[in-house]
Amino acid sequence: MSRSTSGVERRILRLLHDRETRTHLLEIHAHFLRHELHQSNQVLSHFVSVCRSNGKMRHAEVVFQQAKFPDLLLYNAMIKGHTVSGHFRKSLILFSEMKNNRVLPNEFTFAPLIKSCCGIRDHRVGKCVHCEIMKLGFERRNSIRIGIVEFYAGCETMKDAQKVFDEMPYRDVIVWNLMVRGFCKIGDVDTGLRLFRQMRERSIVSWNSMISDLEKCGRDREALNLYREMQDNGAYRPNEATVVTVLPVCARLGEISVGKWLHSYAQSSGLFRDFIMVGNSIVNFYCKCGDLETAHGVFREMPRKNAISWNTLLSGLAFNGKGELGVEIFNEMISQGVKPNDTTFVGVLTCCSHARLLQKGRDLFMLMTDKHKILPKLEHYGCMVDLLGRCGCVNEAYELIKNMPVRPNAALLGSLLSASRTFADVKLAEYAAKELINLEPWNSGNYVLLSNIYAEEGRWEEVDNLRLLMKERSVRKVTAHSTVD
């Protein structure tokens, strides 16, 4: 390379990495074409890296395809670019091409390749990449091993992950978190908790993940105890994920004081101001606890709101039977230009049902499809059937069910059955009960309901036939019991 060419190359590299000029990719491309540097692997690899940063991998591909003899540096830049851009299979195809061209990979080749394997979650392909790593002796690199553990944990093959983990001489908090999360993901929460207890070093992510995994599998009391243990430790400050995870647990367990403390902490620490999801969680907590006044107050105090914020308050009002106020909140939401979604309409239709706002519910159901182009789901039909049933329009509810594009579920048929019995429509009640038995032949409650309908009509032969059917299907009536907490 001549001295003048070398000077042009250095100038192009400066342009690529200068904050003001690096976005002018077309001009820089033209510049190195004019100086016949389109085969300089150094220039091309830097150009590809800048394309990746600017989200212009299509341009990088065009440049790469013109390279006659791409080297390791250029291949690595392209493989990393595809991985970062989410084009995982392209990254793996490029690695195969690189091998065919007899370009030997290095550790910087494999780090993004493993990420691509994580992205596609193809166990067979990942195994092949792992074999290549072992063959070339890169498995001793800790960053590579962490990536392999992440891949196996993502594919839910924890035996393979455990083997790599056990061979690691140094295990940082990241790889411990991956192992804990991996076991919890496959439902082995006890092993995940055991590994968590073995960790010498933890981060707030470690605590949040373990609390969340316990909460997801219904072990609320253990989740709350672990949160308290974290607080007692004193080395970790709850962050937005902690607040969002623990508040629903507090609501379900009735731990009002802990929830209120988290609310106070979120306000004093700035989490309430900075994260919409924290405000949404606090509103949801107070709604679940039945404290609608505080929930409404927190909602008003939120500096920013999204559709989820409005939906949370709407659902809370519906859950607590405050239908008319829920409809007012919905109208306010629309007037402020917030676009409703299907969850919004489940909330407001439920509000109409609780408040017996029959015509309003009908209007909203039409508005949902005609104006907002939201196709009704089972939940929306369920709300309408419940509303019509509460208002005594059982035949209209039946017609709605009959004309639905989807098959009714047990909750929807249960609403029709309840309304039919309340308003003494025996024929519809019998239809609903029979449909429930067809849908849930194992549920003894459905047989009992139909038996009661027949008994009330004095149709004792049908009662006996129903008992025989239960016997044939080995369905036993569940013994009634009461509990006091």
Side-chain angles (χ1 to χ4, degrees):
M1 185 185 289
S2 67
R3 186 173 298 176
S4 60
T5 305
S6 177
V8 172
E9 193 174 81
R10 284 197 298 272
R11 190 159 61 249
I12 290 169
L13 294 179
R14 279 198 301 272
L15 288 170
L16 282 169
H17 295 288
D18 187 278
R19 187 175 296 177
E20 292 181 5
T21 56
R22 64 181 296 161
T23 55
H24 301 280
L25 292 172
L26 287 172
E27 290 89 338
I28 295 171
H29 188 184
H31 192 45
F32 68 70
L33 279 173
R34 188 167 66 250
H35 290 280
E36 297 184 350
L37 289 170
H38 56 288
Q39 296 301 326
S40 166
N41 284 321
Q42 186 179 14
V43 168
L44 294 183
S45 60
H46 283 271
F47 186 81
V48 166
S49 297
V50 174
C51 284
R52 182 197 74 230
S53 302
N54 291 342
K56 304 285 186 182
M57 278 306 294
R58 187 72 196 95
H59 196 163
E61 284 184 85
V62 171
V63 169
F64 177 77
Q65 284 162 8
Q66 294 169 352
K68 292 179 180 176
F69 306 105
D71 64 359
L72 175 61
L73 193 67
L74 182 51
Y75 270 117
N76 282 354
M78 283 298 295
I79 288 170
K80 185 176 180 180
H82 283 315
T83 300
V84 171
S85 304
H87 306 145
F88 304 124
R89 294 201 180 275
K90 283 185 178 181
S91 176
L92 292 160
I93 290 167
L94 208 57
F95 175 64
S96 181
E97 180 189 312
M98 175 182 171
K99 283 175 63 184
N100 291 337
N101 289 339
R102 296 183 179 179
V103 178
L104 279 175
N106 62 9
E107 62 179 293
F108 301 108
T109 314
F110 288 110
L113 272 179
I114 297 167
K115 286 282 184 188
S116 288
C117 292
C118 291
I120 63 171
R121 294 188 181 181
D122 188 320
H123 188 257
R124 184 186 60 81
V125 173
K127 272 275 191 185
C128 292
V129 172
H130 188 187
C131 287
E132 288 286 334
I133 290 167
M134 292 180 70
K135 192 163 63 179
L136 293 168
F138 293 122
E139 79 277 5
R140 293 181 183 178
R141 307 278 183 175
N142 217 54
S143 59
I144 298 287
R145 279 179 168 168
I146 290 172
I148 295 168
V149 169
E150 183 181 8
F151 163 70
Y152 285 129
C155 290
E156 300 182 11
T157 52
M158 291 310 295
K159 282 186 179 179
D160 292 330
Q162 185 76 59
K163 187 178 178 183
V164 177
F165 178 77
D166 290 341
E167 291 171 355
M168 293 178 73
Y170 170 71
R171 303 165 191 160
D172 63 9
V173 68
I174 295 171
V175 77
W176 278 98
N177 287 346
L178 288 170
M179 289 297 293
V180 170
R181 197 177 305 129
F183 276 110
C184 291
K185 188 179 176 183
I186 63 170
D188 191 354
V189 179
D190 289 325
T191 300
L193 188 57
R194 179 175 55 78
L195 283 171
F196 176 82
R197 293 294 180 197
Q198 291 174 8
M199 292 173 71
R200 292 180 181 177
E201 179 192 351
R202 297 182 187 129
S203 65
I204 188 64
V205 174
S206 314
W207 290 94
N208 287 344
S209 295
M210 196 65 246
I211 292 167
S212 176
D213 288 324
L214 287 167
E215 181 259 344
K216 283 174 186 173
C217 67
R219 294 160 68 166
D220 284 341
R221 182 57 64 185
E222 288 178 77
L224 188 61
N225 288 341
L226 194 64
Y227 162 72
R228 284 175 167 146
E229 186 183 326
M230 184 190 91
Q231 288 287 80
D232 292 341
N233 185 288
Y236 307 93
R237 285 174 59 83
N239 63 7
E240 68 280 5
T242 318
V243 176
V244 170
T245 303
V246 177
L247 275 173
V249 174
C250 294
R252 286 193 293 272
L253 293 176
E255 294 282 355
I256 311 297
S257 58
V258 180
K260 285 184 174 180
W261 185 91
L262 281 167
H263 175 196
S264 175
Y265 171 79
Q267 286 189 310
S268 62
S269 63
L271 295 176
F272 178 76
R273 180 191 66 242
D274 297 336
F275 298 96
I276 295 178
M277 61 181 180
V278 170
N280 294 344
S281 295
I282 296 169
V283 171
N284 183 57
F285 164 73
Y286 285 114
C287 285
K288 291 286 172 63
C289 295
D291 189 351
L292 297 180
E293 187 178 342
T294 304
H296 202 171
V298 171
F299 176 81
R300 295 296 178 199
E301 290 172 8
M302 288 176 68
R304 290 175 296 127
K305 302 179 185 74
N306 56 15
I308 296 171
S309 314
W310 292 90
N311 290 349
T312 301
L313 183 60
L314 257 178
S315 299
L317 292 168
F319 180 76
N320 287 279
K322 301 294 182 182
E324 291 184 359
L325 179 56
V327 172
E328 287 178 23
I329 292 294
F330 173 79
N331 291 335
E332 185 183 340
M333 175 184 180
I334 298 300
S335 68
Q336 291 195 17
V338 182
K339 188 176 180 181
N341 54 28
D342 55 353
T343 306
T344 312
F345 280 99
V346 170
V348 73
L349 287 172
T350 305
C351 286
C352 291
S353 180
H354 285 303
R356 289 178 169 79
L357 302 172
L358 180 58
Q359 193 53 48
K360 183 65 177 177
R362 286 169 174 154
D363 293 342
L364 285 169
F365 192 72
M366 293 296 292
L367 184 76
M368 178 177 74
T369 51
D370 293 347
K371 183 178 179 181
H372 297 285
K373 309 302 178 188
I374 297 171
L375 291 176
K377 295 181 180 177
L378 264 175
E379 295 89 342
H380 303 107
Y381 284 111
C383 292
M384 283 305 296
V385 168
D386 188 49
L387 169 61
L388 293 166
R390 285 172 186 253
C391 296
C393 304
V394 287
N395 286 313
E396 188 179 342
Y398 170 67
E399 288 298 320
L400 184 65
I401 290 172
K402 201 167 66 172
N403 295 313
M404 276 167 46
V406 290
R407 189 181 176 188
N409 60 10
L412 198 148
L413 290 166
S415 293
L416 180 65
L417 174 60
S418 176
S420 301
R421 294 191 72 191
T422 301
F423 293 97
D425 193 323
V426 177
K427 190 177 178 181
L428 266 183
E430 184 180 359
Y431 158 78
K434 283 182 176 178
E435 286 295 310
L436 276 169
I437 287 173
N438 290 333
L439 197 63
E440 299 177 338
W442 42 265
N443 189 339
S444 63
N446 297 330
Y447 296 88
V448 173
L449 286 169
L450 184 55
S451 178
N452 291 341
I453 292 166
Y454 288 147
E456 286 165 7
E457 290 288 297
R459 296 159 65 178
W460 302 110
E461 189 177 341
E462 281 94 334
V463 171
D464 290 338
N465 289 337
L466 204 56
R467 285 175 180 165
L468 283 172
L469 183 62
M470 288 179 71
K471 193 173 182 180
E472 286 172 10
R473 294 180 175 178
S474 301
V475 178
R476 293 186 178 183
K477 183 181 174 183
V478 178
T479 305
H481 64 277
S482 300
T483 60
V484 177
D485 185 5

